[in-house]
Amino acid sequence: MRADSPLTRRSVWPTRALLGCAVFAAIGALLLVALTPLTTILALSAPVVYPLAAAVPVCCYLTARRWTARPGSASIAAVLMGLIALPFTSLGALVIVALAVPAVVVDLIAGSRPSRLRWYVAAAVAGLAAGILSLTVFENDLLQPWIIAAVLVVRIASFVGAAAVADVIARGLSRAGILGGRRA
């Protein structure tokens, strides 16, 4: 067998990283489906509170990104989460877009080994992207300038909070000896 053979090369994506993304996606999909009735009601009646409930499943794909320490893992986990939740949400196929766009933003901005500041900046920009996307589900009579500004601020803050939770979970998993996609 040659040294550069696919069977001898080390995989860019170890199985544990892919399985971790799948586990976080499944947990996120369960949370997303469980929160769908609440987020639907909040989007229609209290759009400023809506981002707080909508950020709970986000913790899962952010944790996948932080735990695996691999660019692209948030996107993989988000797309899987959307595919799992697809039949059970009121958004239909748009749930994949709503999850994937902010996850791609996190992956692009965070880079391969993000500093703490870069991690939170990536989360904030992803929150802004998600906030802009979420404006499409609100009733038109609720879209006043102060509500739009408040929704975007709360969405950004909720993503930064979700990034903090993801960081704590990923660190806890590593302390427990459950390594992510990269060896420490």
Side-chain angles (χ1 to χ4, degrees):
M1 207 178 319
R2 292 184 354 201
D4 64 344
S5 162
L7 297 175
T8 59
R9 273 192 305 223
R10 193 156 231 215
S11 172
V12 175
W13 281 90
T15 303
R16 74 173 152 240
L18 292 172
L19 288 174
C21 288
V23 167
F24 288 118
I27 294 168
L30 289 172
L31 290 170
L32 181 72
V33 170
L35 290 171
T36 293
L38 176 64
T39 55
T40 302
I41 290 168
L42 290 176
L44 297 173
S45 62
V48 176
V49 181
Y50 165 79
L52 297 174
V56 173
V58 169
C59 291
C60 293
Y61 67 74
L62 291 178
T63 301
R65 174 62 175 90
R66 199 65 168 163
W67 181 71
T68 62
R70 293 187 173 277
S73 55
S75 301
I76 290 169
V79 169
L80 287 174
M81 187 185 329
L83 289 171
I84 294 167
L86 177 72
F88 308 104
T89 66
S90 55
L91 287 175
L94 289 177
V95 73
I96 297 170
V97 175
L99 292 168
V101 168
V104 169
V105 169
V106 167
D107 282 330
L108 290 174
I109 293 175
S112 61
R113 295 215 180 233
S115 64
R116 223 171 193 33
L117 176 64
R118 194 168 180 175
W119 172 245
Y120 290 111
V121 167
V125 175
L128 179 62
I132 292 169
L133 283 174
S134 69
L135 293 176
T136 61
V137 299
F138 297 146
E139 291 290 325
N140 286 338
D141 57 335
L142 292 176
L143 291 178
Q144 299 171 11
W146 72 271
I147 291 177
I148 293 171
V151 165
L152 293 177
V153 167
V154 173
R155 188 62 117 154
I156 291 167
S158 68
F159 263 72
V160 170
V165 169
D167 197 29
V168 168
I169 293 169
R171 286 173 188 249
L173 289 170
S174 293
R175 270 195 309 275
I178 305 169
L179 297 176
R182 294 184 193 231
R183 293 189 186 245

